[in-house]
Amino acid sequence: MTSNSGEPILLQPLPERTTDRSATYASLLRELLDLVGAELPIEDESGVDSLWHHRARKAVGDIVTRCAEDASEGDPVPEQWYEPLMRAAILEPNPSYNRQFVKPAVQAFGRRRVKLTVLAYLDSDDAADIAGAARAWYWTHVPVTYPAGSDTPTAESLAEYEAFSDLRERYRHTALRRFVAVTDLDARRCILPGLPVTAALAADQSIVGTRAHADERAPGMIDADGVVGSALAGARLFC
């Protein structure tokens, strides 16, 4: 499946079976709230952590976004916000909610820097971080806009999109390499939906010949008996 620009459409990874880092994540959210000067959300009387997390994400994201909108060369967004903000994006297990960190980070610190940070996490040795990076990458993409009633993207949005072609290519090769090398099921589940199955990647001689590990709960994703090169050439991302 491809977009109007001919690029493979990347699908969001599913939020399944990630390593439980909820305590670490909650602690980081509290640190972030304090760092950006947000009020600590009221604990929900029902004891549902997800409601508190939602309020905390929104509070942090709103402040970072507002600060980015008001920032100037002489008064930039505080640099010390960047690392914990990106760490929160990686730790957030839901591939929809992590945008509340990624999008403000892009606005405040720049899309290329955010993409490079996500790529560094993807190429790390921590399986949970690899999974988090695959989830976060989706929200770093440049939105291509179209005039009303037109199938042709605006020149401005297309130019910005093309400006990141180098990092898209780097992500594709890094993601495929990590998918092959990492045996952790959760990391592989999160990487797989974003892998564009193209002849160019399947022909990469550094990958062809390396056998894939099958996920018995996702038949049809990858042929357990075939080498990665041949399996990717005809793989179905969803069964």
Side-chain angles (χ1 to χ4, degrees):
M1 186 184 302
T2 60
S3 64
N4 291 337
S5 65
E7 291 287 339
I9 293 177
L10 302 184
L11 303 175
Q12 293 188 60
L14 300 176
E16 299 183 41
R17 289 192 40 169
T18 53
T19 301
D20 184 7
R21 299 194 288 186
S22 56
T24 301
Y25 179 44
S27 177
L28 178 59
L29 281 179
R30 293 178 183 277
E31 292 177 14
L32 259 175
L33 288 163
D34 181 64
L35 188 62
V36 303
E39 291 186 11
L40 194 67
I42 299 174
E43 299 286 349
D44 188 74
E45 293 180 359
S46 67
V48 179
D49 289 341
S50 60
L51 296 178
W52 185 90
H53 288 166
H54 174 71
R55 294 165 183 160
R57 285 191 306 267
K58 187 176 187 307
V60 170
D62 286 351
I63 288 178
V64 175
T65 298
R66 189 161 55 248
C67 188
E69 291 172 347
D70 297 337
S72 64
E73 186 174 342
D75 186 25
V77 177
E79 176 63 26
Q80 62 266 33
W81 291 5
Y82 182 72
E83 289 299 335
L85 188 64
M86 290 305 301
R87 186 64 184 153
I90 300 300
L91 287 175
E92 169 56 58
N94 189 293
S96 292
Y97 296 155
N98 56 5
R99 74 182 184 277
Q100 292 177 298
F101 300 119
V102 176
K103 287 183 172 293
V106 167
Q107 187 169 355
F109 298 100
R111 194 178 304 276
R112 181 164 289 271
R113 182 179 181 185
V114 170
K115 281 179 172 289
L116 287 170
T117 297
V118 174
L119 281 167
Y121 275 113
L122 182 69
D123 213 11
S124 71
D125 294 324
D126 188 296
D129 282 353
I130 293 170
R135 293 191 298 267
W137 180 258
Y138 179 88
W139 297 109
T140 70
H141 293 311
V142 177
V144 177
T145 58
Y146 296 79
S150 174
D151 293 331
T152 303
T154 64
E156 295 80 4
S157 68
L158 190 59
E160 185 180 3
Y161 179 82
E162 292 300 332
F164 293 94
S165 60
D166 60 324
L167 297 187
R168 287 197 300 276
E169 186 71 8
R170 179 172 164 183
Y171 177 85
R172 291 168 189 155
H173 285 278
T174 302
L176 183 55
R177 175 167 50 79
R178 301 309 283 150
F179 178 80
V180 171
V182 175
T183 59
D184 180 83
L185 179 59
D186 296 331
R188 291 164 63 82
R189 277 184 178 276
C190 287
I191 292 172
L192 186 58
L195 282 180
V197 184
T198 65
L201 286 178
D204 189 323
Q205 293 304 308
S206 67
I207 296 171
V208 172
T210 305
R211 293 186 174 275
H213 297 276
D215 175 4
E216 67 277 7
R217 289 175 296 171
M221 281 186 172
I222 291 292
D223 181 0
D225 296 321
V227 296
V228 170
S230 60
L232 284 175
R236 291 180 293 127
L237 292 185
F238 295 99
C239 54

